[in-house]
Amino acid sequence: DRAYVGAGRRLTAWLPMGDIEAGPCGAGTLVWLPGSHKDPEVVRKYQDYQRAGADGEKSGWLAPDPAILTLPAGYKWQTADFQMGDIAIFGMDLLHSTVPNVSGTFRLSCDTRWQPKSDPPGDVNVGPWRSAPAETTEADGEESEDDENEEGEGEEE
């Protein structure tokens, strides 16, 4: 997921918004290589992978179909049937993908990334989260304090 959010200590939470059956006629389920995140050779091979475009529209996939990838010795793609409400949580170093959706229907899923608050935000396609309340603007029908002070109203002499 570094192609989408940059380097850093992050977890991805993948949530299907409907049932997704594994198999050749499915809607494109999640697949992963168990243990790949613990193999220094695999981690090194893919840690600098950055194929997603800055506009977020180019694929960050390693391949359009993970079945065509040459896997490291001893590895085999794993998957599962997912039901709405399931969640898969994994780290940035777990090699994962989705298989092509050949079902003729949409696959809806949500990916969120989580990191320690003390870590800086990612440097790709994301920015810092704004947790402060938004200021009231003239568009909201009220002037903010800054607007009043700029116009000279409400200032003490």
Side-chain angles (χ1 to χ4, degrees), residues 31 33 45-46 49 51 60-72 75-77 95-98:
V31 296
L33 294 180
K45 181 175 181 177
Y46 294 103
Y49 182 77
R51 203 171 101 198
W61 299 342
L62 296 170
D65 184 345
I68 67 173
L69 287 174
T70 302
L71 299 179
Y75 287 95
K76 180 181 174 185
W77 291 113
L95 203 54
H96 64 281
S97 185
T98 54

Side-chain angles (χ1 to χ4, degrees), residues 2 112 127 141:
R2 285 183 181 87
T112 61

Side-chain angles (χ1 to χ4, degrees), residues 10-99:
R10 291 184 184 80
L11 294 176
T12 295
W14 186 81
L15 299 91
M17 300 298 176
D19 297 347
I20 303 174
E21 291 185 25
C25 298
T29 192
L30 181 69
V31 296
W32 60 93
L33 294 180
S36 59
H37 63 296
K38 297 178 185 177
D39 185 329
E41 189 174 319
V42 174
V43 171
R44 256 191 315 278
K45 181 175 181 177
Y46 294 103
Q47 72 183 359
D48 293 328
Y49 182 77
Q50 296 282 334
R51 203 171 101 198
D55 62 1
E57 292 188 15
K58 293 182 182 176
S59 169
W61 299 342
L62 296 170
D65 184 345
I68 67 173
L69 287 174
T70 302
L71 299 179
Y75 287 95
K76 180 181 174 185
W77 291 113
Q78 297 291 311
T79 190
D81 291 334
F82 288 91
Q83 295 177 333
M84 184 169 47
D86 287 345
I87 184 169
I89 300 175
F90 48 90
M92 299 286 284
D93 291 327
L94 181 71
L95 203 54
H96 64 281
S97 185
T98 54
V99 296

